[in-house]
Amino acid sequence: MKRTQFSSPVLPYLFLLPQMTVVFIFFYWPSVQAIQSSFYLEDPFGFGSTFVGLSNYTDALGSGEYLKIAWFTAVFTIVVTFLSLSIGLLLAAKADGVIRGSSSYKTLLICVYAIAPPVAGLIGMMFFDQHIGPFVKLAAWAGWDMKVGINYYDTAFAMIVVSVWKQIPYNFIFFLSGLQGVPVSIREAAAIDCRSPARRFRTVMLPLLAPTAFFLLVINMTYSLFDTFGIIDVIVKDKAANNPITLVYKVYMDGFRGNDIGGSSAQSVILMIVVFVLTVFQFRFIERRVHYN
Amino acid sequence: MHRTKFFDHVILLAGVFLMIAPVVVAFMTSTHAAAEIHRDGLMLTWGGHFDETYREVLTRQGGFTGKVTGARMVMNSFILGIGFAAGKIVLSMLAAYAIVYFRFRLGVVFFWMIFTTLLLPLEVRILPSYEVMTKLGLVNTYTGLIVPLLASATGTFFFRQFFKSVPDELLEAARIDGAGPFKFFIDILIPLSRTMIAAIFIIMFVYGWNQYLWPMLMTNDESFYTLVRGIKQILLVWIGSQIPDYNEAFAMAILAMLPPVLVVVIFQSWFIKGLTESDK
């Protein structure tokens, strides 16, 4: 905190008022409502609701469908996180090494960051389209009868490809700025001690990148859990029938298509707990990192 | 040595191809006629229908109500992007100023209350948020589109970090010269934060422009549709049509990505600085 501060009986409250109003109306109120309605069974026609205790939770956690979706979400999150982190790191390491054309590479590699997930999903759908999609033709040529939107695994494949594609630039930006933050003196000292660039990268640069990587790990997991909503929605188009979906998409489907308010809220609360754990993990880590610096 | 550099370039070019080729194909295909795309698949060449397709997409009155045009969606997207970015900057600068520069009893409490919003993304509380919006009568309004998105505290944290890095001597000197809280904020802090404001504006503009789920819930009146929101409508209209309007779908996708991509490319250095420093 600052050594000197203003003191005023009114001003700080006045300055905080707009932010706090928004936070209260659009964050605390709905969050409390989510928790509250997760304990109730709402009448679908709007005639009141009954307290049912934890049964919305046990219904969700006990249903095979929910567990299947949770399993898919976990696999999806791990695969997307792993692929987009490693491709991002590879490209950043190479972009950090070259001198000629490095700024053009950078510009071209980051611009996909600005594309909205559903727009990325739409482009992806065209590439995986039954009639015009080059990927489908390519797969057919290799003997793979790809049916995105009909076959469970093919749809999952398309979702992963699009989600990874969309996330690579973000990881690239952070890895590159992490690499460029490594002091020249350390690079020179490493170059004197070790001739192999690959080994140098592994033993010197990678440990220095660890904080960035951990930070990105959490960010990529939240991305796969939540921000891929647009991609998934465009690919499955409200027909979850035989398609893989993530937990967030199920919250949306149950709440807005199925009108199961209690069940949807209970699922929301379960997700809140997941995010909460992830965030606490992240902040503990960041505390440590600040300590190092 | 030269060989390793050569392979570095090969990998980077492959990466660029992977990232850019789909966008180029999307653009090139959008300049062809729908029947042509239906027959021959995606295109890598210029099709010569650029003018008519984009004019059609921007000016034709479409949708279920027949009153929304592409141009209207472009406008709505700009309203959401700019409104969100500007709102975020104003709210978060004021709040961060109060938290960093004032000594008051509830400071810590407020700080934690704002901090908590980072824990829960909008996606996990969509249904109750929607109910609150219906109670307040904000469905199908620009206020309902923009203001609830401001509830997350990313901006506040960013400015808090930045204000904390401003040397204490500035405030001491300003106070000796007799500057009050308003004068210090307007004449010293805001000019100092100019680059930061620009960086945050760019990030938030892209974020706002790209919103999908919230506009989807908040707007069922088509005159409030944004471009990104409109994507879903394209796909829904598609089901059951003989020859889908591939060209128009691609044109919409290109329109929806163009402004944020341009902003990011043009203001690249600010954008990267803001992104890598704010998320720490």
Side-chain angles (χ1 to χ4, degrees), chain A residues 24-63:
Chain A
F24 263 105
I25 299 178
F26 302 112
F27 181 83
Y28 283 104
W29 185 8
S31 300
V32 168
Q33 257 202 345
I35 295 170
Q36 196 190 5
S37 52
S38 72
F39 296 110
Y40 284 86
L41 185 66
E42 195 119 347
D43 187 278
F45 303 103
F47 302 117
S49 47
T50 25
F51 183 77
V52 291
L54 284 172
S55 84
N56 284 325
Y57 290 91
T58 49
D59 280 357
L61 292 173
S63 94

Side-chain angles (χ1 to χ4, degrees), chain B:
Chain B
M1 196 67 195
H2 277 288
R3 229 180 46 199
T4 51
K5 283 279 174 267
F6 175 73
F7 280 116
D8 285 358
H9 282 285
V10 169
I11 291 174
L12 282 168
L13 286 172
V16 168
F17 177 77
L18 185 82
M19 299 314 291
I20 299 298
V23 179
V24 174
V25 170
F27 177 64
M28 286 307 182
T29 310
S30 75
T31 63
H32 286 261
E36 220 177 313
I37 302 165
H38 189 67
R39 194 181 61 231
D40 300 336
L42 300 183
M43 303 290 183
L44 271 168
T45 52
W46 181 254
H49 290 272
F50 174 80
D51 253 20
E52 46 189 280
T53 305
Y54 282 79
R55 189 173 306 132
E56 180 83 5
V57 165
L58 281 172
T59 58
R60 189 193 51 210
Q61 315 229 311
F64 294 120
T65 50
K67 63 177 176 179
V68 64
T69 61
R72 172 93 200 192
M73 292 196 212
V74 174
M75 189 189 83
N76 286 337
S77 283
F78 271 109
I79 290 176
L80 177 56
I82 293 172
F84 173 72
K88 193 91 173 181
I89 285 168
V90 171
L91 287 194
S92 52
M93 269 188 103
L94 286 175
Y97 184 53
I99 288 172
V100 175
Y101 280 98
F102 283 85
R103 181 174 295 125
F104 62 114
R105 205 183 303 151
L106 294 175
V108 182
V109 178
F110 281 123
F111 172 73
W112 281 100
M113 288 181 90
I114 297 175
F115 170 85
T116 315
T117 61
L118 288 180
L119 297 181
L120 301 178
L122 183 66
E123 283 85 354
V124 302
R125 51 189 161 89
I126 36 173
L127 193 71
S129 297
Y130 178 77
E131 287 178 342
V132 167
M133 300 313 283
T134 23
K135 272 181 203 151
L136 296 172
L138 288 173
V139 178
N140 287 325
T141 59
Y142 288 117
T143 319
L145 207 54
I146 296 167
V147 178
L149 293 172
L150 298 174
S152 127
T154 42
T156 313
F157 278 82
F158 178 73
F159 281 113
R160 175 176 164 267
Q161 292 300 100
F162 178 69
F163 289 165
K164 279 168 81 176
S165 74
V166 171
D168 283 5
E169 287 76 13
L170 274 177
L171 177 59
E172 282 159 15
R175 291 187 75 171
I176 291 167
D177 289 344
F182 284 105
K183 195 160 178 55
F184 178 73
F185 186 61
I186 292 165
D187 287 349
I188 296 174
L189 218 47
I190 291 181
L192 267 181
S193 327
R194 262 198 311 240
T195 328
M196 297 291 140
I197 294 175
I200 280 281
F201 190 90
I202 292 161
I203 293 168
M204 294 302 167
F205 172 76
V206 172
Y207 183 86
W209 179 285
N210 284 347
Q211 281 303 307
Y212 177 67
L213 177 58
W214 188 245
M216 193 162 87
L217 301 179
M218 285 311 297
T219 55
N220 40 42
D221 175 353
E222 287 178 342
S223 54
F224 287 98
Y225 276 16
T226 63
L227 281 168
V228 177
R229 165 74 178 88
I231 294 289
K232 178 148 187 179
Q233 239 47 37
I234 302 178
L235 288 165
L236 290 180
V237 170
W238 237 355
I239 299 165
S241 58
Q242 279 292 322
I243 297 177
D245 293 324
Y246 295 113
N247 54 343
E248 290 182 8
F250 274 126
M252 282 284 276
I254 293 293
L255 287 175
M257 72 172 79
L258 197 61
V261 168
L262 280 182
V263 164
V264 163
V265 168
I266 294 170
F267 301 106
Q268 208 184 121
S269 57
W270 284 351
F271 161 75
I272 292 178
K273 190 173 154 61
L275 197 66
T276 50
E277 282 175 17
S278 68
D279 277 345
K280 269 182 187 163

Side-chain angles (χ1 to χ4, degrees), chain A residues 137-155:
Chain A
K137 283 171 195 157
L138 210 66
W141 184 72
W144 174 6
D145 184 20
M146 193 190 272
K147 286 198 172 71
V148 172
I150 294 165
N151 182 301
Y152 184 91
Y153 295 100
D154 292 350
T155 314

